[in-house]
Amino acid sequence: MDALENKTYDEISIGDQCNYQKTLTESDLILFATVSGDVNPVHLDPNFAEASMFKERIAHGMWSGSLVSATLATVMPGPGTIYLNQSFNFLRPVKLGDVLTVTLTAKQKDDEKNTVIFDCNVVNQNQKSVLTGKAKVIAPNEKIIIKRPALPVVSISDVLESDVA
Amino acid sequence: MDALENKTYDEISIGDQCNYQKTLTESDLILFATVSGDVNPVHLDPNFAEASMFKERIAHGMWSGSLVSATLATVMPGPGTIYLNQSFNFLRPVKLGDVLTVTLTAKQKDDEKNTVIFDCNVVNQNQKSVLTGKAKVIAPNEKIIIKRPALPVVSISDVLESDVA
């Protein structure tokens, strides 16, 4: 079984680390624009992006942020986590084919409130930080081991939304 | 023409506000899980969510965050904005059909660096804050008015990824 298993508050020690990796694809640019409504052409239009300071299409900064959130929600602490706060510093653009690795490091625990503060660092395939920040969560008390939910197939058509509206 | 027009650094005054609105749909839950990899079942599995403290499926917190980023990138300042930092406080769950309204308020400008700090507030249809935070960006110098990029049609199949892998 491909499982999701959380780490409870008691199982997390200061200094514990975890990782999560994802590669930026063209589909990610389109899906993130669709789900957020952020159609800024620097993410979508190759010609506009080429004329920009970035020279090519770049990821939405918050896409890299969403990988941090995915790591908290599925790796450590995982299912049962309650998200309280997050800060992000956007440091470098992320381009198509870039392989991002999220590292979370447990920095602080509060036994009264079951909160954990994590340092968050996202690096590209050249080990350069593209995003740093801090996350504060309530870690779960209860152990959860569940089957990883399967996602439906998502497909992106050649037809534009504006042509079918 | 459905246009994207930015507000340059000089056009933004302290106290200026803008809005952006989006309603949470089931597609948003699936697309955000797909693009981030956050398959936490509280967003995807009605039965798991029903047994949770939330009683039903909720949005990824970072989906609400992505609406803040979409507002910065497409409304104010809009195209040409460089994202520096963002903080989020997650205050309330967001449920299917909830109508979120993002309000950005310009709070501080730095004429040497062209940076603007915005207060960010996201409320639901009951005027309850679901997310607050601060954003720091470099606002564009140059006026940009461009056609809003059209997105391709994205469709979600009945078939699971795991069945075609």
Side-chain angles (χ1 to χ4, degrees), chain B residues 75-92:
Chain B
V75 188
M76 177 163 77
T81 299
I82 312 253
Y83 216 168
L84 296 178
N85 319 112
Q86 178 73 56
S87 65
F88 290 131
N89 307 300
F90 303 100
L91 302 176
R92 275 185 183 77

Side-chain angles (χ1 to χ4, degrees), chain A:
Chain A
M1 179 173 92
D2 187 10
L4 286 181
E5 175 175 352
N6 69 0
K7 287 190 88 170
T8 64
Y9 180 82
D10 290 338
E11 290 174 332
I12 298 171
S13 304
I14 303 298
D16 280 1
Q17 290 194 322
C18 74
N19 295 113
Y20 175 75
Q21 202 170 68
K22 208 166 189 305
T23 300
L24 179 69
T25 65
E26 195 163 19
S27 293
D28 293 323
L29 298 178
I30 293 169
L31 294 184
F32 204 87
T34 301
V35 77
S36 67
D38 181 351
V39 293
N40 194 311
V42 77
H43 311 302
L44 297 172
D45 180 337
N47 295 326
F48 181 92
E50 195 181 340
S52 77
M53 63 183 286
F54 301 113
K55 308 294 183 205
E56 57 179 296
R57 282 172 292 174
I58 58 168
H60 301 76
M62 209 52 75
W63 177 73
S64 308
S66 78
L67 305 189
V68 170
S69 140
T71 313
L72 291 162
T74 64
V75 187
M76 178 164 76
T81 299
I82 312 255
Y83 216 168
L84 297 178
N85 319 112
Q86 179 72 57
S87 65
F88 290 131
N89 307 300
F90 302 100
L91 302 176
R92 276 186 181 78
V94 174
K95 300 184 172 180
L96 286 169
D98 280 0
V99 182
L100 298 193
T101 304
V102 179
T103 301
L104 303 182
T105 308
K107 296 299 278 188
Q108 210 175 310
K109 294 182 70 179
D110 179 335
D111 290 346
E112 280 191 19
K113 296 177 177 168
N114 273 24
T115 55
V116 185
I117 294 175
F118 291 96
D119 266 359
C120 313
N121 188 24
V122 184
V123 301
N124 62 19
Q125 66 281 4
N126 304 316
Q127 306 310 314
K128 301 283 188 189
S129 281
V130 299
L131 183 72
T132 59
K134 281 192 193 301
K136 185 175 181 182
V137 304
I138 302 176
N141 274 319
E142 188 196 345
K143 190 72 181 172
I144 300 178
I145 305 176
I146 44 171
K147 190 167 183 289
R148 179 182 288 268
L151 285 168
V153 173
V154 170
S155 49
I156 297 170
S157 140
D158 290 334
V159 180
L160 296 178
E161 274 186 344
S162 48
D163 294 334
V164 294

Side-chain angles (χ1 to χ4, degrees), chain B residues 101-118:
Chain B
T101 303
V102 179
T103 301
L104 303 182
T105 308
K107 296 299 278 188
Q108 208 176 313
K109 293 181 71 179
D110 178 335
D111 290 346
E112 280 191 17
K113 296 176 176 167
N114 273 23
T115 54
V116 185
I117 294 174
F118 291 96

